[in-house]
Amino acid sequence: MKSVGEAMAIRWTLQESLQKAVRSLECGYSGWGCAPVKELDCDWDQLKYSLRIPNPDPIHAVYAAMKKGMKVDDIHELSLIDKWLKSVVSVISDKQIAFATKSTDNEVRSKWKSFRVSPAYKWVDTCATEFEANTPYVYSSYDFECESAPNKRKKVLILSGGPNRIGQAIEFDYCCCHASFALESAGYETIMMNSNPETVSGDYDTIEDVLIVIDLERPDGILVQFGGQTPLKLALPIQQYLEEHKPVSSSGAGRVAGRVRIWGTSPDSIDAAEYRERFNSILKELKIEQPKGVIAKSEADALAIAEDIGYPVVVRPSYVLGGRAMEIVYSDNKLVTYLENAVEVDPERPVLIDTYLSDSVEIDIDALADSHGNAVIGGIMEHIEQAGVHSGDSACILPTQTVSSFCLATIRSWTTKLAKSLNVCGLMNCQYAITAAGEVFLLEANPRASRTVPFVSQEIGHPLAKYAALVLSGVSLNEVGFTEEVIQHIFPGCDVLLGPEMRSTGEGMGIDFVFPMAFAKSQIATGQNLSLSGTVFISFNDLTKRHLEKLAKAFSGLGFRIISTSGTANFLELKDIPVYRVLKMHEGRPHAGDMLANGQIQLMVITSSGDALDQIDGRQLRRMALAYSMPIITTVAGALATAEAMKTLKSSNINMIALQDFFNVEIHEDSSKNLQSASSSL
């Protein structure tokens, strides 16, 4: 298996289902057969290659080939895709119709309404008729008979994250489900809109589908902050629709004249946090520091800005502060490649170029605010890896281990000020960087649930997603019973390359009374096979060599034999640390890859230089490590944490303790009582 997610679509016909499935990919497609896909610009050789060679987007190559006049039989011969695909073009979405007729989505939707045409809803019997299903799945299709029977109860529509994939993980399903449980207990009927084959399979979260459900069900509230970025980006168009049409909730119990409303943080505040220029103004007013960054509206702008700031720089679309399409670039050539392949840069699609804070510690913080002006910190997590690694890929520790009380006070103050300035109601996640000099910078703020919410909730013993759902319904934090941050005390002193774009597809968690054992458990939970003896291959780039002596001594002290290529070996020999030299991949044989294949290496620690040679030698070696299921660490902090974990595993047994016992039972009566630590790893 090579996939990192899946989509599922149900409709009355195969053609309709395929159209919906293509929309569910969330790659900017409104369906299949009527859209400006990049394959339309391919020449015949490129197009035939895309049809012949398996790739992630063959279906769009089929459309481009049809559009260019290739015969269906020839397309079938090249791609082996069934010929019936041609018939799918006849079934298209509102956005596709708008594209084809040079009109707008709203105009198409109005036309449907004037014809009194709307999708019907069909049930999927989850109990296979054995007994009545209390929670049936519902999907839309164009048909005369509608099986949905809306009632007049108080109800809430929860927009979830859709299929599991990179960037939209199961953690958001956790948040949505906990929100549903909490609101059901509070007397609301909950409607989950999701299309995840692993959990709830129904309609996908596109504006077209969501507006149809709003018209049909007319809920009291709509929740957009629990499903990650997918529903969040729908907040503004939903709000515009509600303001224009002013639908009344079916229960008549809505807070403002019985109207359907988005509950929680307003779409305008969400937009303020996501749109960089608005966000900059807010931070300036609040005197919150952020890394130096400038918006580029052309390739020439980008190159000039990067030269002024100084490489390396972080580049990303200016409207999205999250990890998608983000990259750290080290040269003009890499920047140009990014602009050509990752994003389109022009005045309508500007790119943000930020200073990259090298060797900084990154902090993740989840907070909860209510509509009464109260804001409470849920948890402050310290990333094991340096700043610049996406939070979804990093290992983190709660409570923090190395952050000063001054920096923590700054972070707490800035977070609460920002939550109140943005009028946050519900959850908010902020990420900070702390430099070696102790300077604090805000990297981003997301007024929504984060993938860290389940982790924090389990560590502090408070269900933050449930609390947030109740807060959205109008309940105060005082009424919920969550009025102050849960502070844990700690013992004093105590490719596969990672970057700002998330690449992980899951996570593991370890919890214990000391950090090294918690981290060890988290690694075991993710399937890492950490040998406690043997040979470690270490290769450090020039930027990280100042940490090399400490790390090498840590592994040497554990009894590991160290092997390195020439650059790292020279450095270790100057420090009188025993090291065995091995050839680089391009220098001849036997090289490091041969030793890896022969089982002569038990652990690899590699920090990438990012240069041309590393793109060949280093990339090949890292891919080999992945193929041989070899534990490989690509950050200094991760390697040091692993060494500490190994040291603890060699001297202590792993004690398995029920999660509830950390909060309900006094396990330790000595000085370790209530000194707990948690680690998350992906």
Side-chain angles (χ1 to χ4, degrees), residues 378-391:
I380 303 177
M381 295 150 278
E382 178 180 353
H383 288 212
I384 302 299
E385 288 79 14
Q386 77 281 357
V389 173
H390 193 283
S391 60

Side-chain angles (χ1 to χ4, degrees), residues 533-599:
S533 62
T535 298
V536 56
F537 173 82
I538 300 178
S539 176
F540 270 34
N541 62 34
D542 291 338
L543 292 174
T544 54
K545 276 199 169 70
R546 62 191 182 88
H547 302 287
L548 181 53
E549 182 179 3
K550 179 180 180 181
L551 182 70
K553 286 182 176 178
F555 280 110
S556 181
L558 290 171
F560 276 85
R561 177 195 187 205
I562 298 173
I563 64 170
S564 301
T565 52
S566 56
T568 302
N570 289 337
F571 183 94
L572 293 177
E573 287 169 351
L574 289 173
K575 300 295 182 181
D576 294 324
I577 297 175
V579 59
Y580 176 83
R581 286 175 175 263
V582 63
L583 295 174
K584 296 180 179 179
M585 302 282 279
H586 70 280
E587 291 176 338
R589 312 189 81 153
H591 50 54
D594 294 324
M595 296 188 69
L596 175 61
N598 293 334

Side-chain angles (χ1 to χ4, degrees), residues 365-523:
I365 180 167
D366 284 321
L368 185 57
D370 63 21
S371 59
H372 304 271
N374 304 306
V376 179
I377 303 296
I380 303 177
M381 295 150 278
E382 178 180 353
H383 288 212
I384 302 299
E385 288 79 14
Q386 77 281 357
V389 173
H390 193 283
S391 60
D393 293 339
S394 68
C396 65
I397 179 72
L398 193 167
T400 59
Q401 302 287 300
T402 67
V403 183
S404 70
S405 57
F406 173 79
C407 290
L408 288 174
T410 300
I411 289 169
R412 290 184 173 107
S413 172
W414 286 1
T415 302
T416 53
K417 282 200 302 184
L418 187 58
K420 292 177 180 180
S421 177
L422 289 172
N423 294 314
V424 170
C425 181
L427 287 161
M428 182 177 78
N429 173 266
C430 295
Q431 292 169 27
Y432 295 89
I434 303 174
T435 67
E439 301 170 296
V440 180
F441 294 94
L442 176 67
L443 299 179
E444 62 177 277
N446 293 299
R448 59 166 171 81
S450 168
R451 62 179 44 81
T452 52
V453 165
F455 169 61
V456 173
S457 297
Q458 292 178 73
E459 207 283 333
I460 67 173
H462 289 270
L464 295 182
K466 286 186 176 180
Y467 291 170
L470 295 173
V471 162
L472 297 185
S473 71
V475 177
S476 71
L477 286 172
N478 287 332
E479 292 173 293
V480 168
F482 187 63
T483 58
E484 59 182 18
E485 179 184 353
V486 178
I487 304 291
Q488 291 91 7
H489 303 285
I490 62 172
F491 289 110
C494 293
D495 50 310
V496 296
L497 287 179
L498 303 178
E501 182 166 8
M502 181 180 172
R503 297 176 182 179
S504 300
T505 55
E507 73 172 81
M509 174 177 173
I511 187 167
D512 205 272
F513 288 91
V514 292
F515 163 62
M517 185 58 79
F519 186 76
K521 288 180 177 180
S522 75
Q523 298 304 293

Side-chain angles (χ1 to χ4, degrees), residues 237-393:
I238 291 174
Q239 183 65 26
Q240 291 166 358
Y241 180 82
L242 297 180
E243 290 175 355
E244 180 180 351
H245 296 275
K246 298 179 174 56
V248 176
S249 65
S250 58
S251 71
R255 294 184 211 155
V256 181
R259 289 180 187 161
V260 178
R261 294 178 65 248
I262 293 177
W263 281 2
T265 307
S266 71
D268 183 66
S269 292
I270 294 171
D271 180 72
E274 295 226 327
Y275 187 51
R276 190 56 186 237
E277 290 180 334
R278 293 188 65 187
F279 193 62
N280 287 352
S281 298
I282 293 171
L283 297 188
K284 186 176 181 180
E285 182 181 339
L286 297 176
K287 297 181 180 180
I288 295 176
E289 297 293 332
Q290 61 179 327
K292 181 181 179 182
V294 183
I295 290 177
K297 297 183 178 180
S298 68
E299 183 178 302
D301 277 355
L303 291 169
I305 292 166
E307 182 179 0
D308 178 58
I309 291 176
Y311 289 105
V313 295
V314 180
V315 288
R316 57 187 165 188
S318 65
Y319 194 82
V320 179
L321 292 179
R324 192 166 186 178
M326 287 178 63
E327 194 169 321
I328 300 170
V329 298
Y330 294 85
S331 66
D332 285 352
N333 289 338
K334 293 291 184 182
L335 180 56
V336 171
T337 300
Y338 168 85
L339 297 175
E340 290 176 347
N341 298 322
V343 298
E344 296 179 50
V345 56
D346 61 37
E348 299 299 320
R349 300 181 184 87
V351 170
L352 181 68
I353 302 179
D354 273 335
T355 301
Y356 173 55
L357 302 174
S358 304
D359 259 355
S360 296
V361 173
E362 187 162 342
I363 299 296
D364 237 302
I365 180 167
D366 284 321
L368 185 57
D370 63 21
S371 59
H372 304 271
N374 304 306
V376 179
I377 303 296
I380 303 177
M381 295 150 278
E382 178 180 353
H383 288 212
I384 302 299
E385 288 79 14
Q386 77 281 357
V389 173
H390 193 283
S391 60
D393 293 339

Side-chain angles (χ1 to χ4, degrees), residues 5-11 16-25 124 137-139 162-165 194-205 209:
E6 63 181 313
M8 176 178 174
I10 308 174
R11 272 206 168 181
E16 286 184 277
S17 299
L18 182 60
Q19 286 283 6
K20 188 189 287 188
V22 172
R23 285 159 55 198
S24 77
L25 296 175
V124 175
Y137 296 168
V138 181
Y139 68 94
N164 283 345
R165 63 201 184 281
N194 198 26
S195 66
N196 187 339
E198 305 301 327
T199 52
V200 178
S201 299
D203 272 5
Y204 192 70
D205 294 357
D209 297 306

